[in-house]
Amino acid sequence: MRLFGLLGYPVGHSASPAMMNAAFQADGKAAVYVPFAVAPEQVRDAFTGLAALGAVGVNVTVPHKVAAYEWTDVHTPEAQRIGAVNTIRFSTEGAIGHNTDVSGWWRSIEQHVTGASPNFAVIGAGGAAMAILAAIATHRKASVVRVIARRETAVAQLQQRFESSLTIDYAPWDKRHQVVSESDVIVQTTPMGMWPDTARSPIEDPSVFSEGMVVQDIVYRPRETRFAKVAKAGGAKVIDGAGMLVYQGVDAYEWWLGHAAPVDVMFQAVNAHLAQEQLEHE
């Protein structure tokens, strides 16, 4: 039995175990994917222990992605680009750190992003925003991206990281409605609206949105956030965050195993998991 897993703190809410275990079963693999709740002060010991146990690979989620980057011996270009690791492969040569958040996000939205340089607005300036900016810098590098955040210093760090590949402008939080109204693609990356605080949204006015806009909330718990509902009421094309979850998992699976993942099975597993979770919250 080959061991895979997910390290985070907490991890009990994650749909990844259901998704990955369904994929292994459909693919005929003798493998198991286990969630591990690991406190930050113990995460390096956890990585070392999993390597000693002969684990094949793990995913890494909040708050361990930077620690995973620092612990791994070798980094792929994707991990180097944002200084964070969300996927590790253990090998006889050491631990290899990779990042599938970048490719996972782009695969979730690319069919909806038309034109060589759409106007992007990214709400939030944390780790998720960094992955999204890396994807834009790769696939739509002629674009100007406005990052809406409360702290200008956080955006300045993003500007410094991407200064050679992407133009990033800071947009103050109190200007968010105007910035969103002027954008073609809007991505909401903050935890705002996530269970249990589902009544919150960074935008409350549907008139800010219009037909032709593409709007994504990467929060997928609940599946339709208040932000998504407001954007839909304004006529925008709305994409939920489940696709990013699935595609980053697909890319991790394929990187670990070296062949195509059962994508449809993984989507079905995530959909079933989130539907059950929704029933439990109603």
Side-chain angles (χ1 to χ4, degrees):
M1 183 68 72
R2 305 173 78 186
L3 175 61
F4 297 82
L6 171 68
L7 279 73
Y9 196 69
V11 292
H13 66 279
S14 177
S16 291
M19 173 177 67
M20 290 299 197
N21 285 316
F24 289 140
Q25 183 176 5
D27 211 11
K29 301 299 182 184
V32 62
Y33 186 97
V34 181
F36 298 102
V38 181
E41 62 271 17
Q42 297 175 311
V43 71
R44 297 180 69 87
D45 290 339
F47 291 142
T48 301
L50 285 163
L53 286 170
V56 178
V58 292
N59 289 127
V60 182
T61 188
V62 176
H64 301 321
K65 294 181 183 182
V66 173
Y69 185 89
E70 294 170 348
W71 182 83
T72 43
D73 304 298
V74 178
H75 305 111
T76 64
E78 292 84 355
Q80 290 175 349
R81 186 158 203 179
I82 62 175
V85 160
N86 82 326
T87 305
I88 296 173
R89 185 170 66 207
F90 302 104
S91 72
T92 55
E93 290 77 32
I96 305 169
H98 184 39
N99 194 295
T100 65
D101 285 332
V102 177
S103 59
W105 175 74
W106 182 250
R107 290 182 70 178
S108 78
I109 200 170
E110 62 176 323
Q111 64 179 310
H112 305 290
V113 179
T114 59
S117 56
N119 293 316
F120 286 92
V122 176
I123 303 174
M130 188 181 296
I132 287 162
L133 292 170
I136 297 171
T138 300
H139 299 283
R140 292 292 186 275
K141 59 185 178 182
S143 302
V144 174
V145 184
R146 287 181 287 182
V147 177
I148 302 165
R150 289 186 170 88
R151 293 186 300 112
E152 186 172 4
T153 53
V155 180
Q157 292 174 350
L158 296 174
Q159 290 170 326
Q160 183 176 9
R161 177 171 287 276
F162 294 102
E163 62 181 351
S164 63
S165 56
L166 190 66
T167 300
I168 299 171
D169 292 337
Y170 167 63
W173 189 254
D174 60 2
K175 301 293 186 183
R176 63 192 184 279
H177 293 84
Q178 178 185 341
V179 171
V180 166
S181 71
E182 296 169 350
S183 302
D184 303 312
V185 182
I186 301 99
V187 187
Q188 202 294 111
T189 73
T190 77
M192 193 176 294
M194 184 183 294
W195 275 320
D197 199 7
T198 58
R200 299 182 66 206
S201 170
I203 303 290
E204 290 286 357
D205 183 2
S207 69
V208 168
F209 301 98
S210 60
E211 187 176 346
M213 286 183 176
V214 175
V215 176
Q216 184 184 45
D217 194 336
I218 69 167
V219 171
Y220 59 88
R221 303 175 60 248
R223 190 67 178 269
E224 186 176 53
T225 61
R226 177 161 181 78
F227 175 77
K229 291 176 181 177
V230 172
K232 187 178 292 185
K237 170 69 176 179
V238 176
I239 305 164
D240 66 33
M244 181 178 178
L245 168 71
V246 174
Y247 281 120
Q248 64 81 25
V250 166
D251 288 349
Y253 189 99
E254 295 178 348
W255 186 66
W256 286 326
L257 300 179
H259 65 262
V263 179
D264 291 346
V265 169
M266 296 169 81
F267 265 105
Q268 290 165 11
V270 168
N271 289 339
H273 178 91
L274 296 179
Q276 180 59 40
E277 191 174 48
Q278 182 73 44
L279 287 174
E280 293 170 358
H281 280 81
E282 289 178 350

